Amino acid sequence: MPSICHDTAIQEADEIYVLLKKSVRISRNLRVEWLIKNLNNDVERCQRDFILSSSNEIEILSGVSAHKYDDEATRDELKTFRLSASTAVRFLSLSYRFVFLIDVSPSLFAIDPSTGDVYYQQVSSILYNVLNGISQSFIVPGSDNYLHSPEIIITIIAFTSFYPCQNVIVQGYLLSRNTISGLLNIIKLGLHEIEDEFVRLSQNLPVHQVVSSDVQLLDMLHLGVMALKLLPENSMPEVIVLSDGITSLPETNQVDSVLLQFSSSTTPVSFIQIGAYSSGNISATFSSLGFTPNTEFLKYVSKSTLGHYVNNVDSAKTSDTAKDMNQYHNDFLIWSLQRKRPSKSKLKSSCIIGSNVFSSCSGISLLKDYESQKTGTVRQTFCSATHRVNPWLILYTRLREGWSLEDIQFHDDPDSNEIHLLFPWRHNIDLEYIIKWATNKDSLETKIELNYRGDYDFVHDISCQFATVPYSPIRSGIIKKFFHTMKTIQNNDRTIVHLHTFRLSSEHYIVPDCIRKGLPCSQYLETSKSPLPDVSDDFSKYWLPLSDLNVVYWHKWFHTHNITLILAYDNPLPKYLHIPNSSSRFEPIRCCLSFQAFTETLQKWSTFVLVESHSYVKFSFINNEDVPSGYAIVTIESSPPSLVLHIGFLCNTTPVIRQEVLDELKSLINKTTVRDKRSKFSGKSLSDATPGMKNLKQCVYIFEKSLYRFIVRYDRQPDDFLSLKPPSVDRHLHSAINLKKVKLNVDMWRKLSRYLYHIRWIWLTNDIQTRNPQITKPMLKKILSLLTKKKLLENYHPAASSNGVLNVVSEVDVTPEADSNGSQNSGTCLLQYVIFPPHVLSDGEIIDENGSGKDVATSIPDSGHDGLMHITTELWVEPQLGKLFTDLYDDCTAQNVHKHIYDADYKIVQTLLSFGQMEILCKSDIMKLPSAIPQHDESFHSLNESLDSRITVVSSEFDPISVISMSQGSAIAFSTFMEKFHSHNSTGILHSEKLPNELLFNDFLKKLGKLFDNELCLSNDQHGVYSRLVLDILEISKPFESKSHNIESNYDCNEETPKWQGFVKKIDGDSRHRMAVIFVPKSYNDICLLYNISTFGQENNYCDNGESDMPSFCLGLPMPVFLYDCYLSEICQNLLAQTGEANKKSYVFIDKQFDSHISKNPKSKSDNFTFNAFL
């Protein structure tokens, strides 16, 4: 704990090391508050044994002072020391999360003239040096031998300039000295695969699919922000970019948008330059055809985000005995609020803030920039003002906007305290913000002064606004942008003053009775863009401006937290969710009941409602005081069924209070329930519900990760399913507001396609060649509906629905694999499953000579379509390391979970498509149907081989066995004529006269053909599958034992397979998709082959002919007949419950042999079938 002790013997610390605890998130406000509180005071380091057990959020590890004796400097370890304005405060954390971005641009494949190697080959060695350096444990300088060994979780992304490439090499890897060798192998393998993909795409892709260098750099930084959100919170983040620096200058507004995201999350961006450019080797320019690195821009980004720019990477000392801090620890594990000092490591770091920070190779002046030495910097005051607010509040806001501490001046005169802040606005243009205050006045007044400094031309343009010479458009745009920035700073200052007048007037926190009873302070109207007040008093005057604040900029004034939620859908599912109605419109997923219950919960929890169904306010109290110490404002960002709760706390709210409020809110959300009209497919089986709660279901589901920004959204179907492209933006189909939203969704789709694992399955519903038979529209609707219900039962939740495209998501726990050696971090993995409505490809455009095609229809007509119909599903998986911890995906990882999902989907699609084709056969004159689309079809294979590896076209195989395996069946045994069998003792082969039974069986088949509507033909493989199914049934059946001889069915699958004949008939008068199916052996020889009569025992010779070498006996084989009640509703239930394999145990066995009785299995059903009349 800091203690004030102005002892002259206590030395001033040159630098101190401070540890941030992991239990709560330590914001910038708390860090600067701790720094200001201990400034010019004497502090004491914490003892090693009490560092981790201490309850303090920020703990002092050590202090080091430097004294110069002649030409040498000695470093003294201090127990008690003084923290001054010149002391460098270095923050360490117990947990870090790093995102490494590799800029794989075409220029990276140039040759290094100094070594003769390709620059791309240096990436793995550079990564190894950096990772090996930061993974080493080290003793904090000046500490009580405190060994700092933090938890480091990394993600590595290789970002290419080609659009369809997959970029993630590894995500969520727990780095340590024991796991770095395995990580290096993963990196080398990933870089090798990307290199092969890079070469392939560079030869085949058109020019318009290659991203420009400036767009690539910004997209890469955006991807880094996304990747950080998927890593564990309460850890210190950083993005490290490996690039050769060859890029053009991006558009300034886009750069500002990217830097805003990093500054809002306190995320430094560091650059490591690859290649010989940084060493001043002029031959490197010629090896890249004259392209030189834009190091100024890289330094500007790193400077703006308090990161580093490194242009030379050496190998760190990696011996196990070395416990000293190396250069990688100093550059990447230490964070500081203050202005960067010159790096003391061997790295040539260029992160120093100074007048010559951008003096580097640029353009033709590669070795020296003489012009920068001649150009001076001019400083000019823009404005000054006085605010009645605490100076620390202004300081907090400036730091949250990306400003850095340049200087702190605490003089003996209490009227002249100053804090200087610096913000790099543009290249060689800095903004300076000075905060002045006096501590001896009763009424605290804070004076601010806003300055800008740059070269003479820029200062002249700003100062002389009435220039007679017109400016160029670029120059005028910079001037307008500058004044807009200054105006924004002034408006932010006024907002600070307004927010922190909360406790100054009782009218701000005494809630009027009408609002306390539930009336919102304001509400949104359809014709207005901002809330309109319902009450007019001082209370509304304070709170109404808060309802207008954009949540994007909340981080400037509040401690911000987000909670990602998914609302439970309303039962039943919409009728036209997957298939359009008569007006060609789809119905979206609705969550009205859940949203109403959720807002009621927020209303009960909050102190009052700020905006109806949108914003809520909760007061916080300390020590049971009557006056609230602060408040939390909650705003709903809604895009049902998914939404995000943005929670903002005032800057003076402590982390403990923030955590208590968040825990209380999450607990209430988890307890919110809504009455379920139909709980059958509510995503949770009724057996799991507690007694008395079967009519209630959970209203809202909380996701651990920031799902809202990672939802794959389709505003409509893609234009081309055979290529991975987002839907095109049609300006005529959207209003101005919706058009902007659609463009954002398309842009997010492109980013997600680079990050997430993406697999698309195109399920063909008819033959590529014949296009027949055509599946009916109700059957396609049933398939999509069953896929949806199946996912809902697997704990997926609807996240987005638009124009028939449904996205359901699930968050699955991840555990480290057994052989991971501690390299995998436990967490969660996001799975997204997208279902598209049916689609038709027109003739002539299905497959061109290159194997690609274009879709020409967005919905299926009622009848008469003449194309290749298909349904499409997609799977998007977060590339998280580890094993999915769930019973559903047992022993699956993020890399292979798609195989399990494909198998389950294939069973559903194949079964229902076969059922639909069987229904068509009942109405068609076609005598037989091809069993399946040949997988060796040349057009089918050429299509799959020419597509992206992430797209798979699946043929629609006709498999009636999949239908009957999910249906209730009955096995009937009929008698046949007694036959005399002769057996050879040497061979054991039986011979008989089969003519009577053959005539009987042929007549029986003819009668069946007249009774049923059509035949069912099986393929050779399906004959074997059904034979094995029959044998399993015969093992538990008594009627199939012959009265004259005991039969044992010992059919060997390796021998000749019995053939089967099937018949199908639509049950008259039943409009509920119900059919009768019968299967019998195709001939009497197949009956003999089924029972494998060559293995019968020969001890009973009932018909001995007197010849010892030819024993004989008489035998009548039972003729098996299998009847199935194919009821679509029951089939769907079995597919959802996965109980088809158990159906063979519930067969009804009927014995129709002479002098027999009906024998039923105890587990069989007692009810009769509707097709018993056929007997």
Side-chain angles (χ1 to χ4, degrees), residues 889-1028:
Y889 305 129
D890 187 24
D891 201 26
C892 289
T893 62
Q895 291 75 20
N896 59 19
V897 68
H898 66 277
K899 298 179 181 178
H900 179 92
I901 295 177
Y902 169 80
D903 293 338
D905 291 351
Y906 183 82
K907 187 174 184 179
I908 293 177
V909 175
Q910 180 195 44
T911 302
L912 295 189
L913 283 180
S914 300
F915 186 93
Q917 292 169 346
M918 291 166 62
E919 281 190 325
I920 295 175
L921 286 178
C922 296
K923 305 176 183 179
S924 175
D925 296 332
I926 303 175
M927 293 307 297
K928 62 180 180 178
L929 184 69
S931 59
I933 296 176
Q935 295 295 329
H936 54 78
D937 186 83
E938 294 182 0
S939 60
F940 181 80
H941 275 293
S942 62
L943 176 62
N944 264 325
E945 291 176 358
S946 62
L947 296 177
D948 190 285
S949 59
R950 291 172 286 179
I951 301 178
T952 302
V953 179
V954 186
S955 64
S956 58
E957 182 179 359
F958 175 66
D959 185 13
I961 299 177
S962 63
V963 178
I964 62 176
S965 64
M966 292 291 168
S967 305
Q968 178 63 51
S970 177
I972 303 100
F974 288 97
S975 296
T976 59
F977 294 120
M978 299 290 292
E979 294 188 67
K980 186 176 182 179
F981 290 86
H982 303 280
S983 175
H984 290 279
N985 291 332
S986 60
T987 61
I989 299 177
L990 296 177
H991 300 277
S992 68
E993 297 292 337
K994 304 178 181 179
L995 182 59
N997 279 323
E998 289 178 351
L999 294 176
L1000 174 65
F1001 192 80
N1002 291 337
D1003 185 65
F1004 180 69
L1005 291 179
K1006 291 180 181 179
K1007 296 293 185 181
L1008 289 178
K1010 293 179 181 180
L1011 289 175
F1012 285 79
D1013 295 332
N1014 214 329
E1015 298 181 5
L1016 294 177
C1017 298
L1018 302 180
S1019 65
N1020 292 331
D1021 295 336
Q1022 291 172 350
H1023 282 299
V1025 172
Y1026 189 69
S1027 297
R1028 286 188 288 270

Side-chain angles (χ1 to χ4, degrees), residues 67-82:
H67 299 279
K68 290 186 178 181
Y69 299 97
D70 297 332
D71 295 333
E72 297 182 357
T74 61
R75 294 164 63 87
D76 296 334
E77 299 180 2
L78 305 175
K79 294 184 179 180
T80 303
F81 43 87
R82 181 166 299 169

